Amino acid sequence: MFLNQLSEDELKLYLRLAAVLTAIDNPIVNKKEASLFPRFISPGINEQPKKEILRIESEISLLKSSVCSESTLREAEVEEIIYSTYEDFESVLFAVDKDADPDEAPLPEADRRLALAAKLARRYIRETNLVSTLPASSKVIVFELYAVGLADGEITDAEQALITKLAKTLQVQHFISLDLQESAKSINRALIATLAIISE
């Protein structure tokens, strides 16, 4: 919705952060396939529940269409950024921590995924030159992340936790982040109501 206010570097950063957001709740990301929507496969499970796949697909579809319609980035470039981000997340997810304490209890899977996603996202932010970024750009990124999380109608706990961490890293004050979330929810509700009226 407001992506056209971002510079190209900011837009690419947003795209990576949003891709991490769509990956955080998912099982495992596999290698690049012919279609945009990658399959998510857990060991011993041949097919994920349909609701889970539809949720992931709707988030990725919204992400791709919003960026392609509001920027000069080519579709192939958008897809490549999404795929490479998923591959990065897969790499950190399966990396063996050689320095881990064998006597220390491992983090629960959801907490581990959140910690790794936040670490990867902070790396993307650090690697992007944000010196000239206006505070408004950071707010746009946070708002658009909420919009992606709402693609299926609700923001999961993991998505909420990640966006909160990213807002802090991007120096968006907590109360502003909450206002942006409410704005995203209001717009999402209005769109759903409008679609319902049109389809009657």
Side-chain angles (χ1 to χ4, degrees):
M1 185 171 289
F2 301 109
L3 294 177
N4 58 5
Q5 296 185 29
L6 301 179
S7 69
E8 186 170 313
D9 284 343
E10 291 167 347
L11 184 63
K12 288 178 180 178
L13 172 63
Y14 158 73
L15 189 52
R16 288 202 179 279
L17 298 180
V20 171
L21 185 69
T22 65
I24 192 170
D25 285 325
N26 302 338
I28 294 170
V29 190
N30 76 344
K31 299 299 180 186
K32 190 187 301 186
E33 295 189 356
S35 65
L36 172 65
F37 176 57
R39 295 181 185 273
F40 297 87
I41 304 169
S42 291
I45 300 177
N46 293 327
E47 185 178 338
Q48 295 301 322
K50 188 173 182 181
K51 182 180 179 184
E52 177 83 0
I53 289 181
L54 290 176
R55 180 184 64 75
I56 299 164
E57 189 174 36
S58 66
E59 289 178 347
I60 293 176
S61 177
L62 172 67
L63 176 56
K64 180 185 170 186
S65 63
S66 64
V67 172
C68 288
S69 65
E70 295 185 51
S71 76
T72 57
L73 292 182
R74 292 173 289 109
E75 184 175 338
E77 189 175 7
V78 170
E79 290 183 1
E80 183 55 39
I81 291 172
I82 293 172
Y83 281 129
S84 64
T85 302
Y86 270 82
E87 289 172 355
D88 287 347
F89 188 64
E90 183 182 43
S91 294
V92 298
L93 201 58
F94 295 113
V96 177
D97 185 358
K98 296 176 182 176
D99 299 320
D101 185 346
D103 297 326
E104 191 175 287
L107 286 173
E109 182 62 17
D111 293 343
R112 179 174 170 272
R113 291 177 73 88
L114 174 59
L116 292 172
K119 183 177 180 180
L120 180 61
R122 284 193 301 272
R123 188 186 94 195
Y124 291 142
I125 292 170
R126 190 174 60 250
E127 290 173 350
T128 303
N129 183 11
L130 294 177
V131 175
S132 61
T133 297
L134 298 172
S137 296
S138 294
K139 293 172 190 174
V140 166
I141 290 172
V142 172
F143 172 83
E144 296 290 351
L145 289 174
Y146 278 122
V148 170
L150 286 164
D152 66 331
E154 63 180 0
I155 298 172
T156 67
D157 291 343
E159 289 171 337
Q160 179 65 60
L162 181 59
I163 296 173
T164 299
K165 287 177 180 290
L166 295 181
K168 185 175 181 181
T169 303
L170 292 167
Q171 300 181 346
V172 175
Q173 293 175 299
H174 184 62
F175 76 93
I176 293 177
S177 178
L178 293 177
D179 286 345
L180 292 169
Q181 180 181 13
E182 284 307 310
S183 295
K185 285 181 176 178
S186 296
I187 291 171
N188 191 61
R189 283 193 295 268
L191 287 172
I192 291 171
T194 302
L195 287 172
I197 292 169
I198 291 171
S199 62
E200 283 179 352

